[in-house]
Amino acid sequence: MELRHFGIMKCTFEANGFRLAKNNEKAKAAFEKASKGQEMLASPWDAAKHMESAAALAKEIGNWSEVSDFYRRASELYNECGRPQPASDALAKGARALEETAPDEAIRLYTDACDILEEDGKEQMAFDLYRAATGVYVKLEK
């Protein structure tokens, strides 16, 4: 096993340790590093998984701009490995996380998630996402 593999494994191990210790800021940073490492190893699936973990921690911390950025990046990485459904799911997770604090961004994320499904010929799977986006939009109008 190459040395850089050990570095990524170390980041992942540290991230999980920090998460268990409730040090979410350090855990988030470690998951970001692990994601970047997986990208360097040309493993977009694993990079996306780590990025989603970083996004979930950003949500717990309340860093809303990172929530959007990280879920968007995870979606891009899933698309890189030809997986539109997880790409759409990542955006939908980000949208749900942002509905209350950043509703405009939530609508954009829902819309982008729907676009991914439609491009993949899965319009019927986008129905729930359209409904969720409409719900956020209606709340904004009140």
Side-chain angles (χ1 to χ4, degrees):
M1 189 176 275
E2 292 182 31
L3 186 58
R4 62 184 169 176
H5 287 99
F6 286 115
I8 295 166
M9 288 172 48
K10 180 180 179 257
C11 287
T12 304
F13 180 77
E14 287 176 349
N16 286 317
F18 287 134
R19 184 168 42 186
L20 287 172
K22 303 287 187 221
N23 189 337
N24 291 341
E25 191 65 49
K26 284 188 177 182
K28 178 182 64 72
F31 277 120
E32 283 181 83
K33 273 184 168 179
S35 178
K36 287 182 186 3
Q38 291 292 352
E39 280 187 76
M40 290 171 45
L41 292 174
S43 182
W45 178 266
D46 292 323
K49 287 294 195 185
H50 290 313
M51 193 55 67
E52 281 194 277
S53 294
L57 289 163
K59 176 187 172 197
E60 287 183 35
I61 294 166
N63 191 331
W64 306 116
S65 65
E66 282 187 339
V67 170
S68 177
D69 292 344
F70 292 167
Y71 277 119
R72 281 191 181 282
R73 183 65 188 134
S75 177
E76 291 168 4
L77 290 162
Y78 286 128
N79 268 329
E80 258 182 55
C81 53
R83 302 293 302 271
Q85 182 66 52
S88 174
D89 291 346
L91 293 175
K93 285 179 197 173
R96 282 190 293 278
L98 296 171
E99 283 183 5
E100 296 297 320
T101 57
D104 289 327
E105 180 61 12
I107 290 170
R108 283 190 289 276
L109 288 169
Y110 278 131
T111 302
D112 292 346
C114 290
D115 290 345
I116 289 171
L117 291 173
E118 289 175 353
E119 287 172 16
D120 195 42
K122 296 183 176 150
E123 294 85 1
Q124 71 281 2
M125 296 179 78
F127 179 75
D128 288 337
L129 297 176
Y130 278 122
R131 187 175 55 212
T134 301
V136 175
Y137 186 75
V138 168
K139 285 179 192 175
L140 275 176
E141 293 299 307
K142 288 186 176 183

